[in-house]
Amino acid sequence: ADTDELLISDAGTLKRVDYSHLKVSNTPAFSAYQGISQSISNDTNTKMTSISSEDFDTDNNFASDKFTPTTSGKYLFIINCIYASGTDAQYAGVQLRKNGSTVESAYIVAQDYNRAILTSIQEANGSGDYFEVYTKQQSGGSINMQVSEFSGYKLIGA
């Protein structure tokens, strides 16, 4: 528990310190996924607005399809998007956006694969930065995003 005390010898003088002063945590952390499929228009950057179900959200920083960390540091983000099978697109992909601007993207040839996976380490200031997932595809028409998962956590010591 955070209030458990440890004894430390400082040049022969015993001192007590609470565990809460020594522990390291990699929170905030979250994992959210798409509750329903979402139609993605052709050749249009589209915000993923159906990432509405959470596996966990340690500090309640994930809401309205975006993550707004309240602790500064470096964060690892993982995005997994699966497009409808049999998608006949030139390409499809996923983007991580910070404060509305793309900071990382991954694209696939959708005729060969229907899954785009993106991992990225990004800095957050803890007082207003936010992260969202966007997608884009070129098929000549709309296609469905079948599954989308978005997760992240603060890196320890970062």
Side-chain angles (χ1 to χ4, degrees):
D2 283 349
T3 57
D4 286 349
E5 293 181 337
L6 302 171
L7 292 175
I8 298 175
S9 176
D10 182 9
T13 302
L14 290 179
K15 296 182 178 181
R16 297 184 319 193
V17 63
D18 283 348
Y19 172 73
S20 64
H21 296 292
L22 302 175
K23 73 178 183 176
V24 179
S25 175
N26 61 339
T27 59
F30 75 98
S31 179
Y33 59 93
Q34 185 175 359
I36 58 172
S37 66
Q38 180 178 341
S39 180
I40 309 301
S41 298
N42 181 61
D43 204 21
T44 303
N45 286 315
T46 304
K47 179 182 175 184
M48 293 304 300
T49 58
S50 58
I51 305 174
S52 56
S53 300
E54 295 179 359
D55 290 317
F56 61 88
D57 184 4
T58 62
D59 294 40
N60 296 315
N61 291 156
F62 186 83
S64 302
D65 305 299
K66 69 180 178 182
F67 177 63
T68 308
T70 54
T71 303
S72 64
K74 290 182 175 60
Y75 286 79
L76 175 66
F77 293 101
I78 303 141
I79 302 167
N80 179 20
C81 293
I82 300 175
Y83 300 86
S85 60
T87 298
D88 188 19
Q90 292 177 353
Y91 76 86
V94 63
Q95 304 165 4
L96 175 64
R97 291 194 178 187
K98 176 182 177 182
N99 303 329
S101 298
T102 301
V103 291
E104 197 83 47
S105 57
Y107 289 92
I108 58 168
V109 177
Q111 293 166 326
D112 299 327
Y113 305 99
N114 67 334
R115 175 180 294 211
I117 300 171
L118 172 67
T119 58
S120 181
I121 296 174
Q122 298 293 322
E123 185 91 25
N125 63 18
S127 65
D129 285 341
Y130 64 92
F131 299 87
E132 302 170 296
V133 176
Y134 275 69
T135 187
K136 185 176 182 179
Q137 59 86 19
Q138 281 188 335
S139 66
S142 295
I143 60 172
N144 282 336
M145 177 71 67
Q146 299 295 92
V147 175
S148 185
E149 299 166 323
F150 183 27
S151 59
Y153 60 90
K154 183 178 183 291
L155 297 171
I156 294 175

